[in-house]
């Protein structure tokens, strides 16, 4: 049998995500809504935190020449907030907020020159940035079954979308204030043994965005004032299986496997008034994420965890989105009225290449690169 401390601290570390960031590997995936807070058995629980990611992806060669550009991937931060209220022994609901998707790239002078020199290159980008906010509500209906409880989870979320692309021709801005999706799942847990199994599905989202295009090099054709623009694209569905169990007093093991349907993102299509239809090509493959780890209770107030993660690369040659291997560590520390959770990780981004023959704006290669992440959150139960 494992202690109540293991149930409260180690399950929080592994399920709620001390280090759950994909670090530029699994497509545009960033944060994950903390619906695991629904397994808390108190009357109410609030958790808030943030993860900072420092990806260091750069080009090794551009059009066959050694690159001296700085890393094009930019730092970002992912907030994560969850609040759970227990309505009855069998019903609890949670409200969550996070940034599930995002990306931020700025290209150096050598990449810009290669883009401009490529015959037929339509965009000549200086940089691209986008993010999505998710506001969700999920409820859990549970029943006693055997030594534990069977859980049915479901709810909906609203997701917005903001996109900005700066290029030689001008700056494109697109925004979708709201698109709606849903999630549902089934789980089973035996707190006495720190055992939990869960299967969770998250739906895909269709974004239809409006905005404008401010001409730069195209000012002679379109005029200097912004013109109307619109765009559309799909962000993927996913399915995640999570397992964990106490294996000895003070010890817990856990793992998960997640499939993400990144192959729906073939292109981001957009229209600019006065110009032919445009698109950014991705042609991504489906993604897989596998995680395995162990947790241990060190003292009555401190627990820790260590995990290994693999993200399958989704790139198909239009950009460089390769496999990533990660090691993460975290700790849960009882302090004050609640619990402080801190963690960090390091990722190795494997080498890869892109080519104009597969939809890239220019040919380039990348050697293995590194990415780093730090996270902190605080949890209070009522």
């Amino acid at each position: 049998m494992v202690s109540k401390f293991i149930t409260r601290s180690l399950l929080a570390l592994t399920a709620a995500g001390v280090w759950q960031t994909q670090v530029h590997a699994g497509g545009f995936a960033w944060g994950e809504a903390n619906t695991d807070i629904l397994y808390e058995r108190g009357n109410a629980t609030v958790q808030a935190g943030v993860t900072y990611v420092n990806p260091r992806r750069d080009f090794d060669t551009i059009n066959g020449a050694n690159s001296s550009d700085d890393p094009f991937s930019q730092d970002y931060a992912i907030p994560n907030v969850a609040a759970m209220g227990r309505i009855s022994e069998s019903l609890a609901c949670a409200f969550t907020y996070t940034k599930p998707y995002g990306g931020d790239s700025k290209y150096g002078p050598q990449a810009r020159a290669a883009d401009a020199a490529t015959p037929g290159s339509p965009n000549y980008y200086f940089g691209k940035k986008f993010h999505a906010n998710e506001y969700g509500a999920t409820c859990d209906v549970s029943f006693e079954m055997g030594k534990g409880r069977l859980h049915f989870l479901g709810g909906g979320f609203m997701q917005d979308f903001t996109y900005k692309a700066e290029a030689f021709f001008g700056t494109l801005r697109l925004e979708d204030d709201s698109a709606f999706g849903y999630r549902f799942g089934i789980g089973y847990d035996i707190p006495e043994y720190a055992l939990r199994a869960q299967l969770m599905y998250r739906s895909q989202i269709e974004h239809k965005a409006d905005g404008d295009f401010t001409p730069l090099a195209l000012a002679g054709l379109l005029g200097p004032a912004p013109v109307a623009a619109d765009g559309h694209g799909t962000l993927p569905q996913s399915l995640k299986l999570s397992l964990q169990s106490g294996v000895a007093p003070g010890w817990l093991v856990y793992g998960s496997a997640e499939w993400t349907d990144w192959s729906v993102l073939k292109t981001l299509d957009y229209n600019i008034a006065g110009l032919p239809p445009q698109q950014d090509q991705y042609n991504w493959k489906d993604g897989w994420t596998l995680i395995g780890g162990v947790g241990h209770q060190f003292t009555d107030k401190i627990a820790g965890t260590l995990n290994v993660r693999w993200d399958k690369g989704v790139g198909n040659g239009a950009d460089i989105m390769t496999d990533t291997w990660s090691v993460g560590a975290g700790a849960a520390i009882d302090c004050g009225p609640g619990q402080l959770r801190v963690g960090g990780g390091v990722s190795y981004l494997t080498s890869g290449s892109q080519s104009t023959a597969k939809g890239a704006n220019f040919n380039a290669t990348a050697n293995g690169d590194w990415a780093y992440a730090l996270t902190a959150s605080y949890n209070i139960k009522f």
Side-chain angles (χ1 to χ4, degrees):
M1 179 186 298
V2 296
S3 70
K4 291 183 178 179
F5 181 83
I6 284 287
T7 300
R8 184 164 60 87
S9 297
L10 289 183
L11 292 187
L13 281 169
T14 58
V18 158
W19 194 68
Q20 293 276 350
T21 306
Q22 302 231 13
V23 193
H24 238 53
F28 290 133
W30 276 11
E32 182 178 318
N34 178 15
T35 57
D36 292 290
I37 199 171
L38 289 163
Y39 288 91
E40 298 275 4
R41 296 306 300 172
N43 292 326
T45 303
V46 177
Q47 181 178 344
V50 64
T51 299
Y52 167 78
V53 183
N54 175 227
R56 306 295 296 171
R57 179 60 106 183
D58 58 10
F59 294 120
D60 180 54
T61 67
I62 296 176
N63 282 346
N66 290 334
S67 171
S68 58
D69 284 352
D70 291 333
F72 59 84
S73 56
Q74 304 298 297
D75 299 358
Y76 56 91
I78 308 165
N80 202 307
V81 179
M84 182 276 291
R86 181 157 297 283
I87 301 168
S88 70
E89 179 68 16
S90 298
L91 177 62
C93 291
F95 298 94
T96 57
Y97 165 70
T98 191
K99 290 182 179 291
Y101 302 112
D104 189 356
S105 298
K106 293 183 179 179
Y107 300 103
Q110 196 170 343
R112 295 184 189 183
D115 198 346
T118 301
S121 179
N123 296 312
Y124 187 6
Y125 284 120
F126 298 163
K128 293 188 285 186
K129 180 178 182 178
F130 98 93
H131 70 266
N133 294 291
E134 180 200 300
Y135 306 87
T138 307
C139 290
D140 169 32
V141 178
S142 63
F143 307 92
E144 289 187 2
M145 177 178 285
K147 293 185 177 182
R149 298 187 72 86
L150 179 66
H151 299 259
F152 296 94
L153 304 98
F157 57 88
M158 185 194 77
Q159 182 173 291
D160 63 20
F161 175 89
T162 302
Y163 176 82
K164 179 181 179 181
E166 297 177 280
F168 173 76
F169 300 109
T171 298
L172 174 67
R173 296 178 179 85
L174 297 172
E175 184 173 350
D176 183 2
D177 291 333
S178 61
F180 296 90
Y182 59 91
R183 58 168 51 89
F184 63 84
I186 186 171
Y188 184 74
D189 74 328
I190 305 177
E192 183 180 6
Y193 302 109
L195 183 147
R196 183 185 303 168
Q198 177 181 276
L199 184 67
M200 180 69 80
Y201 171 81
R202 185 186 190 275
S203 69
Q204 73 176 33
I205 296 290
E206 302 283 345
H207 280 290
K208 295 182 179 180
D210 296 315
D212 59 53
F213 177 76
T214 303
L216 187 59
L218 288 176
L221 175 64
L222 301 177
V227 298
D230 63 76
H232 61 90
T234 302
L235 289 171
Q237 62 183 333
S238 62
L239 184 65
K240 183 176 182 179
L241 174 66
S242 303
L243 301 169
Q244 55 196 40
S245 177
V247 291
W251 290 92
L252 176 146
V253 295
Y254 59 92
S256 66
E258 182 175 14
W259 165 79
T260 306
D261 186 21
W262 282 114
S263 60
V264 300
L265 188 61
K266 300 298 184 185
T267 60
L268 170 64
D269 300 291
Y270 56 93
N271 301 290
I272 298 171
L275 297 177
Q278 309 287 318
Q279 64 179 208
D280 290 345
Q281 292 195 46
Y282 297 101
N283 298 324
W284 281 351
K285 302 173 289 186
D286 287 354
W288 284 91
T289 298
L290 302 179
I291 299 175
V294 60
H296 181 57
Q297 173 184 345
F298 294 103
T299 72
D300 289 343
K301 293 184 178 296
I302 301 175
T305 182
L306 181 70
N307 61 62
V308 177
R309 177 185 188 120
W310 171 70
D311 287 288
K312 176 180 177 292
V314 299
N316 203 24
D319 50 22
I320 302 177
M321 286 287 187
T322 59
D323 288 11
T324 297
W325 292 90
S326 307
V327 177
I333 305 165
D334 284 354
C335 57
Q339 187 180 81
L340 175 65
R341 301 168 185 173
V342 294
V346 58
S347 292
Y348 178 72
L349 287 67
T350 57
S351 61
S353 63
Q354 64 182 45
S355 69
T356 56
K358 295 185 177 181
N361 286 2
F362 54 89
N363 299 320
T365 64
N367 288 335
D369 292 307
W370 296 92
Y372 309 92
L374 296 172
T375 187
S377 66
Y378 198 74
N379 179 287
I380 300 178
K381 294 179 65 175
F382 301 95

